[in-house]
Amino acid sequence: MSVAPTPPRSSCPGSSRASTPDPSTAKDVDGRDKPGHDGRRGWSWLKRGVIVSAVAVVVAAGGLFTYAVSLGPLPLDEARQTSVTVVDRHGKLLRAYAMADGRWRLPVDAATEVDSRYLKLLLAYEDKRFYRHHGVDPLAVGRAALQLVSHGRIVSGGSTITMQLARLMEPRRQRSVGAKLRQMVRAVELEHRLSKQQILDLYLALAPYGGNLEGIRAASIAYFGKEPKRLTLAESALLVALPQSPEHRRLDRHPDIAREARDRVLARMVEDGVVSAEDAAQARAVPVQRQRKPMPILAPHSADQAVATDKTAPLIRLTLDAGLQRALETLARDRAAALGPEISIGIVAVDNTSGEVLAHVGSADYFDDRRAGQVDMTRAVRSPGSTLKPFIYGLAFEDGFVHPESLIDDRPVRFGAYAPENFDMTFQGTVAVRKALQLSLNVPAISLLDRVGAARLTSRLKQAGTELVLPKDEVPGLAMGLGGVGVKLIDLVQLYSALPRLGSVLPLREISRSGNDKRETLRLMDQVAAWQVGSVLLGTPPPENAARSQIAFKTGTSYGYRDAWSVGFDGRMTIGVWVGRPDGAPVPGMIGRVAAAPVLFDAFARSGHLRAPLPKAPRGTLVASNAKLPLPLRRFRPAGDLMQAGDDKALRIQFPLNGSRIDADSEASVGALPVKVAGGVLPMTVMVNGLSVGEIDGRRQRLIAPPGPGFVRLTVMDAAGAADTVVVRIQ
């Protein structure tokens, strides 16, 4: 009896039929796992790998973060410190001051202040992917790692511009993997904190170029004498090569080594297609000179004053014009050398419209001890000679008792114990007031000052922003009209600049300020008087060998030939010149017309602008010959003669009183104003703000119509030339 074989059990419990082998567990005849089983196991290992990698990345990131935190904050504030720089109105460098440790580090804006070709060479040579990486370039790091393995030493660091900046901010002497890691971490941090432009600017300010030079701008100025905006290809390649070994390639010590480094940069740029072979060949032909130029020092006195005024500002912008400043400094140095070894010159040039100082030459040579070069003679108190005379005449015109065409006596006269004399010890007799001022006659000026009043002149100049310095325990007197006071050149220029502005003084400004200009306009004299003074000075004969031009000017010479002056203006600019010895010693024969006036005319010629005409005569200006003037204005009578006129009764205005306030009849107009006088000799002329409005009648009075609300100057002159003036306010 046979027994049937037992069928194999199902691999799955409870299965009622034979099952197909599970491909995930089936094996080949040789005992190996089948493919389905291998795929599932591989996927398991892949997941494990991803997890392990993610954990590793997290751990590494955490470690780098912990390491970055341990480094402390980035020293950005220290890295941003630069030399204090003073620039002109256009941003051109006037002067820079070395940092406390003696380094020259000038701020720079790569986008606007650096030659684009230099930037192209720099990035192509140092960091091709600067704008694509985030501080670290993996390709460059990989290349450096392979070189380290193959050579057994660091061949190239794989440093990006950002990593180099990190190294410059935190210098390390050793060249190690740890130092490189630190640079990488800092580079990533820099990229997070700063923009690419800011990183490039900071690098270009810190890169070393040998000695105490840091940054592209300091190097370009010191080695080539120009800003990096105007670099040639040869210069650009040289400056790309220097920071790699700044001391070994210094131009002033190792020009041959620097040239070889430059040529290697050019060769590589040709290989990379950045520079053509022809351009590179021409650049290689340029010799490398062993040189280092001094940092520019333009307007040193202005720069010193500005830095002393604002001790914290890293950048100070002045109103000066670098081109004009350089031209006038050269002029002062050349003219002083011709005048004598101890002579100095000060020059101030001002824009009439804005009151901004365009040039400020404090001495003939800042570094010349014989000329006391570091003393700013534009701010030194000196005797002004005859340069105050125009303001005496201006107040006389304003008071209405004299006109440019009036006649005035130039003859020996005594004012108490004071007897003025002309410079040439001669007298001209009777001359026109215009000619008296143009010839700078002393006696007519003192006669007018006697009428105007020395105290009033002093007060008016002080009101206009100029403080006259009197000798100790002295009060204003007639001698001040010939230089018996002290004044500064810069103040004198400020006063003269009011004349082309028709009497309004705008305080001078030399440091540019952001925001609104809130300087208060001051009053020197009324518009008509200022125009009349300018018209008279425009006719002053020019100095010898100078062409007549549209320059109104005045000269002056102080007592004992100690100071020579000349101040002039046209419609656009006012320039003042002082010549003399800083120690105040006399220089025999040195007079304003010979020593200072030629410098003034040359300064205008070098200013580079066409002469601008003076303003036209203000409305209501009396322009007439002497014969057509009102009788009292035809001839000036000194104050001593006036006391004897009119039957010993001095002319005086009884109404209105000086300084009084008159109420207007209405807001729109002012009613008739009575003017009453006593004394004097008929006929008498009434003038309102210098213009004749009729004659006083037999009852010694007249009704006039003032021009409107505000201050009104009333003057009455009699047939003998006597005059009285009051100022009232119509309200």
Side-chain angles (χ1 to χ4, degrees):
M1 178 175 176
S2 60
V3 179
T6 303
R9 293 182 178 180
S10 171
S11 58
C12 296
S15 174
S16 59
R17 59 179 179 173
S19 61
T20 304
D22 186 351
S24 65
T25 57
K27 296 182 179 292
D28 290 327
V29 292
D30 58 0
R32 291 177 299 176
D33 291 336
K34 289 184 177 181
H37 181 79
D38 182 67
R40 181 167 294 183
R41 177 172 295 183
W43 174 247
S44 176
W45 279 107
L46 178 61
K47 289 192 294 183
R48 292 176 184 177
V50 170
I51 293 173
V52 170
S53 299
V55 172
V57 169
V58 171
V59 171
L64 288 176
F65 177 77
T66 303
Y67 179 64
V69 171
S70 70
L71 296 179
L74 276 168
L76 280 175
D77 290 340
E78 181 180 349
R80 286 169 172 158
Q81 293 179 0
T82 59
S83 300
V84 175
T85 54
V86 182
V87 300
D88 80 338
R89 65 195 301 113
H90 305 298
K92 295 182 179 179
L93 182 64
L94 294 172
R95 185 178 185 183
Y97 294 81
M99 301 176 68
D101 57 3
R103 289 175 296 161
W104 294 102
R105 182 195 293 174
L106 305 183
V108 64
D109 182 353
T112 60
E113 298 176 351
V114 180
D115 181 72
S116 59
R117 182 164 49 184
Y118 165 81
L119 295 176
K120 185 178 181 180
L121 292 182
L122 174 69
L123 296 180
Y125 194 79
E126 293 285 355
D127 192 351
K128 295 179 180 178
R129 287 171 287 277
F130 174 71
Y131 288 104
R132 298 197 295 274
H133 63 65
H134 297 284
V136 179
D137 186 350
L139 296 178
V141 173
R143 184 193 68 240
L146 289 175
Q147 291 174 338
L148 175 63
V149 172
S150 61
H151 292 79
R153 59 184 176 85
I154 296 177
V155 177
S156 64
S159 295
T160 63
I161 291 288
T162 315
M163 291 172 62
Q164 293 182 47
L165 173 59
R167 176 171 53 82
L168 293 171
M169 293 173 63
E170 296 178 320
R172 292 289 186 276
R173 289 186 176 276
Q174 70 276 14
R175 195 179 185 187
S176 62
V177 174
K180 187 65 65 176
L181 176 61
R182 183 187 183 96
Q183 292 173 23
M184 291 180 179
V185 172
R186 285 305 204 191
V188 173
E189 190 175 356
L190 281 169
E191 293 275 350
H192 178 70
R193 294 279 300 275
L194 305 176
S195 68
K196 288 290 187 180
Q197 186 64 45
Q198 290 173 322
I199 291 172
L200 189 57
D201 288 347
L202 205 51
Y203 171 79
L204 292 177
L206 295 179
Y209 287 88
N212 61 348
L213 298 177
E214 291 187 356
I216 180 68
R217 194 174 177 199
S220 180
I221 292 172
Y223 289 141
F224 309 128
K226 59 183 176 181
E227 294 282 355
K229 181 72 174 178
R230 300 182 292 113
L231 293 173
T232 65
L233 176 59
E235 293 165 347
S236 295
L238 186 58
L239 293 181
V240 167
L242 289 184
Q244 299 171 21
S245 183
E247 291 302 320
H248 191 56
R249 299 174 181 176
R250 284 179 59 171
L251 268 66
D252 55 339
R253 294 185 178 178
H254 310 290
D256 293 338
I257 298 177
R259 179 182 55 79
E260 293 173 359
R262 178 201 67 184
D263 293 349
R264 286 195 296 272
V265 171
L266 291 170
R268 180 170 156 189
M269 293 299 97
V270 172
E271 292 177 3
D272 293 347
V274 178
V275 176
S276 69
E278 182 181 356
D279 290 343
Q282 293 178 354
R284 282 193 295 269
V286 177
V288 174
Q289 302 292 336
R290 182 192 295 268
Q291 62 182 354
R292 176 167 171 175
K293 302 178 184 295
M295 285 291 172
I297 302 183
L298 272 177
H301 301 91
S302 296
D304 288 345
Q305 180 68 26
V307 171
T309 301
D310 192 346
K311 298 181 175 62
T312 61
L315 175 67
I316 301 176
R317 184 181 295 272
L318 301 183
T319 63
L320 306 184
D321 182 281
L324 179 60
Q325 179 71 30
R326 182 179 292 105
L328 297 191
E329 285 188 9
T330 302
L331 171 63
R333 182 168 54 252
D334 293 345
R335 290 300 181 93
L339 290 171
E342 296 177 327
I343 300 296
S344 190
I345 294 178
I347 306 175
V348 177
V350 173
D351 180 81
N352 293 335
T353 302
S354 64
E356 294 179 341
V357 179
L358 300 177
H360 179 152
V361 181
S363 66
D365 189 339
Y366 186 75
F367 297 103
D368 192 338
D369 292 336
R370 294 182 304 170
R371 306 178 197 274
Q374 297 190 22
V375 177
D376 187 354
M377 297 309 300
T378 69
R379 301 184 185 276
V381 177
R382 310 290 292 205
S383 168
S386 297
T387 55
L388 294 182
K389 287 179 181 177
F391 310 110
I392 299 173
Y393 281 78
L395 292 185
F397 295 154
E398 181 180 284
D399 287 345
F401 60 77
V402 75
H403 183 275
E405 303 305 328
S406 300
L407 298 178
I408 191 169
D409 288 334
D410 177 37
R411 56 181 176 81
V413 65
R414 182 174 294 275
F415 299 88
Y418 181 52
E421 295 177 334
N422 288 322
F423 185 81
D424 59 3
M425 305 302 291
T426 64
F427 296 94
Q428 299 291 321
T430 300
V431 296
V433 166
R434 178 184 299 275
K435 184 177 180 180
L437 178 54
Q438 291 173 348
L439 297 181
S440 194
L441 301 178
N442 289 342
V443 173
I446 298 303
S447 297
L448 292 176
L449 180 58
D450 189 43
R451 285 285 299 274
V452 169
R456 180 161 171 259
L457 174 64
T458 303
S459 177
R460 181 63 67 86
L461 296 185
K462 182 177 181 180
Q463 175 183 318
T466 297
E467 191 80 40
L468 300 180
V469 180
L470 293 163
K472 186 178 180 180
D473 299 328
E474 289 287 337
V475 297
L478 296 180
M480 66 184 293
L482 304 182
V485 292
V487 72
K488 302 174 184 177
L489 174 62
I490 198 160
D491 289 341
L492 203 57
V493 172
Q494 178 175 289
L495 288 175
Y496 272 81
S497 68
L499 297 175
R501 279 199 299 268
L502 297 180
S504 63
V505 175
L506 191 60
L508 302 186
R509 183 179 66 182
E510 199 163 335
I511 300 178
S512 293
R513 302 290 186 187
S514 58
N516 295 328
D517 185 0
K518 297 182 179 179
R519 290 172 295 163
E520 181 183 0
T521 301
L522 308 174
R523 176 177 176 267
L524 176 62
M525 63 184 71
D526 69 21
Q527 293 189 1
V528 172
W531 181 86
Q532 289 173 326
V533 172
S535 174
V536 171
L537 295 180
L538 189 59
T540 303
E544 187 176 357
N545 297 325
R548 184 176 293 275
S549 64
Q550 292 180 308
I551 301 173
F553 76 105
K554 182 73 183 72
T555 61
T557 306
S558 68
Y559 177 77
Y561 302 100
R562 289 175 169 82
D563 308 275
W565 305 79
S566 187
V567 188
F569 54 90
D570 63 4
R572 176 179 178 267
M573 183 185 298
T574 299
I575 300 179
V577 175
W578 170 88
V579 180
R581 286 182 49 159
D583 60 3
V587 183
M590 185 186 68
I591 61 175
R593 186 169 183 80
V594 175
V599 179
L600 174 72
F601 273 69
D602 206 347
F604 270 103
R606 299 189 186 194
S607 67
H609 77 277
L610 299 176
R611 299 286 75 76
L614 295 177
K616 296 180 179 180
R619 183 179 180 183
T621 303
L622 178 59
V623 179
S625 64
N626 180 268
K628 295 183 179 180
L629 291 175
L631 185 60
L633 281 178
R634 294 179 185 176
R635 189 180 186 91
F636 169 74
R637 297 290 299 275
D641 293 347
L642 297 178
M643 296 302 296
Q644 303 174 8
D647 297 328
D648 297 328
K649 300 180 72 174
L651 171 65
R652 65 183 184 279
I653 298 176
Q654 291 183 314
F655 184 87
L657 297 177
N658 188 39
S660 61
R661 297 184 179 184
I662 310 297
D663 291 329
D665 290 343
S666 68
E667 294 182 0
S669 62
V670 177
L673 175 65
V675 177
K676 298 181 180 181
V677 302
V681 179
L682 293 172
M684 302 181 189
T685 301
V686 182
M687 289 181 286
V688 176
N689 294 335
L691 296 179
S692 175
V693 295
E695 295 185 352
I696 294 291
D697 60 24
R699 296 178 299 173
R700 294 181 179 272
Q701 65 180 19
R702 182 180 180 86
L703 293 176
I704 65 169
F711 288 98
V712 177
R713 188 180 73 254
L714 302 175
T715 302
V716 178
M717 299 189 69
D718 70 1
D724 190 21
T725 299
V726 297
V727 177
V728 299
R729 182 175 183 177
I730 307 297
Q731 60 184 12

